[in-house]
Amino acid sequence: MVDFIANICNPDVLNLAWKSIQKSKGRWTPDIQLYEVEADLNRHLEQLIFELQTGHYRPYPLFCFQVAKPNGSARLVCAPCARDKLLQRAVLMTLEPIAEQFFHPASFGYRPLCTIDMALARLRENVRQGYIWLGDTDITACFDTIPQQPVLNLVDALSDDPRLSDLIADWFETLPPAYRLHGPGIGLPQGLVLSPLLCNLYLHDLDMDLEEAGIPFVRYADNFVVMARDQAGAIAALQFAADRVARLGLELNLDKTCVLKSRASHRFLGKRLPTPRESLLP
């Protein structure tokens, strides 16, 4: 069994994790300001290591608030205290390189060295090869509706250390009950450092199902496009994706789902889609 706790507690890992959060405006704990920790950082890190190694570590509840969206609705934002955020960052630094060995090359969201422009470049290459019909969609409230236990099972399989999934389960529980929109055991708290990685980990099965079905696609977290050479193929690919998403306990956002021929007047991830050359048009 891999000793993930020892890897997380490596001083080099914790120092890098500290550098990623030291300029944040939050508190180390509800009672300690971040600048107070910086003056005696080694002592605070040693205390955190001790609590983690002895099983006494307990995370603090997430601080949650609503942020208005341009369409008039509200988005829930949750923030861990800096002490918990540092430890989550250390877990991310340790777990992400392992997950990256398995992730599909058509998945671009929230991955190191991946960008929206890279996702659009892959989409353009598929269009150039004749896959000019698209099923453009996203998953309804994806982070809020992902079931937690299957995610923890995937973490177990990836890390081979059940203490890591126990630690992540404790972080899931830091979301106040009033903000658990779909009930207990459902949802990856947005604001948890690990949530984007865990989302990609959960949706990896969708990627592999599309790959095995021979359906070209581009995914950026919960937004994705399936591609085909003709309209009927795009409709079939979109239905296949909808079935696989449903198998994961999720559903497509029908208001944001459409089938169309690639064209510059349509945008994916805020970017204009390519218009196929006339020679590729049916």
Side-chain angles (χ1 to χ4, degrees), residues 44-118:
H44 287 283
L45 291 182
E46 287 171 0
Q47 176 64 27
L48 187 57
I49 291 171
F50 173 79
E51 291 179 13
L52 194 59
Q53 290 179 333
T54 59
H56 290 89
Y57 167 78
R58 296 294 181 272
Y60 289 92
L62 290 167
F63 173 65
C64 300
F65 54 95
Q66 300 278 354
V67 174
K69 297 171 68 174
N71 63 5
S73 62
R75 179 169 63 93
L76 178 65
V77 175
C78 300
C81 65
R83 169 179 173 269
D84 298 330
K85 188 175 182 180
L86 178 144
L87 201 52
Q88 292 166 20
R89 178 65 61 180
V91 171
L92 179 66
M93 292 167 55
T94 307
L95 188 62
E96 187 173 58
I98 300 173
E100 280 293 316
Q101 299 177 50
F102 301 98
F103 285 162
H104 196 281
S107 167
F108 294 90
Y110 307 117
R111 295 182 60 189
L113 304 179
C114 288
T115 66
I116 289 177
D117 286 339
M118 292 169 64

Side-chain angles (χ1 to χ4, degrees), residues 7 16 27 33 42 51 65 79 105 114 116 119 129 146 172 178 213 226 241 243 259:
N7 292 340
L16 285 173
R27 294 172 174 264
Q33 295 280 0
N42 286 339
E51 291 179 13
F65 54 95
C114 288
I116 289 177
Q129 294 179 15
I146 288 178
F172 286 161
V226 291
D243 292 344
V259 173

Side-chain angles (χ1 to χ4, degrees), residues 21 23-29 32-35 80-82:
I21 64 104
K23 294 183 179 180
S24 62
K25 298 179 181 179
R27 294 172 174 264
W28 179 251
T29 68
I32 302 175
Q33 295 280 0
L34 202 56
Y35 72 83
C81 65

Side-chain angles (χ1 to χ4, degrees), residues 34-276:
L34 202 56
Y35 72 83
E36 298 178 72
V37 172
E38 192 164 15
D40 195 7
L41 179 60
N42 286 339
R43 181 176 66 84
H44 287 283
L45 291 182
E46 287 171 0
Q47 176 64 27
L48 187 57
I49 291 171
F50 173 79
E51 291 179 13
L52 194 59
Q53 290 179 333
T54 59
H56 290 89
Y57 167 78
R58 296 294 181 272
Y60 289 92
L62 290 167
F63 173 65
C64 300
F65 54 95
Q66 300 278 354
V67 174
K69 297 171 68 174
N71 63 5
S73 62
R75 179 169 63 93
L76 178 65
V77 175
C78 300
C81 65
R83 169 179 173 269
D84 298 330
K85 188 175 182 180
L86 178 144
L87 201 52
Q88 292 166 20
R89 178 65 61 180
V91 171
L92 179 66
M93 292 167 55
T94 307
L95 188 62
E96 187 173 58
I98 300 173
E100 280 293 316
Q101 299 177 50
F102 301 98
F103 285 162
H104 196 281
S107 167
F108 294 90
Y110 307 117
R111 295 182 60 189
L113 304 179
C114 288
T115 66
I116 289 177
D117 286 339
M118 292 169 64
L120 266 292
R122 188 178 182 98
L123 189 150
R124 291 189 187 100
E125 177 59 22
N126 286 340
V127 169
R128 190 191 68 78
Q129 294 179 15
Y131 295 96
I132 61 175
W133 279 90
L134 317 177
D136 184 4
T137 189
D138 70 13
I139 298 172
T140 300
C142 182
F143 282 82
D144 294 334
T145 55
I146 288 178
Q148 295 172 359
Q149 190 56 55
V151 171
L152 296 174
N153 294 342
L154 290 169
V155 170
D156 272 342
L158 198 63
S159 69
D160 195 31
D161 188 341
R163 294 173 300 171
L164 181 59
S165 59
D166 290 344
L167 180 60
I168 294 173
D170 287 343
W171 285 328
F172 286 161
E173 289 301 310
T174 60
L175 183 65
Y179 296 105
R180 298 178 189 179
L181 304 179
H182 298 273
I186 303 294
L188 306 178
Q190 297 194 51
L192 202 71
V193 173
L194 285 167
S195 287
L197 172 65
L198 299 178
C199 175
N200 275 332
L201 192 62
Y202 190 63
L203 295 182
H204 179 64
D205 273 356
L206 169 64
D207 297 344
M208 298 312 297
D209 286 342
L210 292 170
E211 171 74 21
E212 290 172 9
I215 298 173
F217 71 96
V218 175
R219 183 172 67 81
Y220 198 95
D222 53 334
N223 295 273
F224 66 97
V225 167
V226 291
M227 311 184 71
R229 296 184 182 276
D230 53 41
Q231 185 178 22
I235 293 171
L238 192 58
Q239 184 58 58
F240 179 90
D243 292 344
R244 294 308 186 269
V245 166
R247 191 182 70 174
L248 294 173
L250 308 172
E251 60 183 24
L252 298 185
N253 185 341
L254 297 182
D255 291 336
K256 296 183 178 180
T257 298
C258 62
V259 173
L260 74 158
K261 188 181 294 180
S262 184
R263 57 179 180 265
S265 61
H266 188 77
R267 293 177 180 267
F268 176 62
L269 304 174
K271 303 283 188 176
R272 293 184 184 276
L273 294 180
T275 300

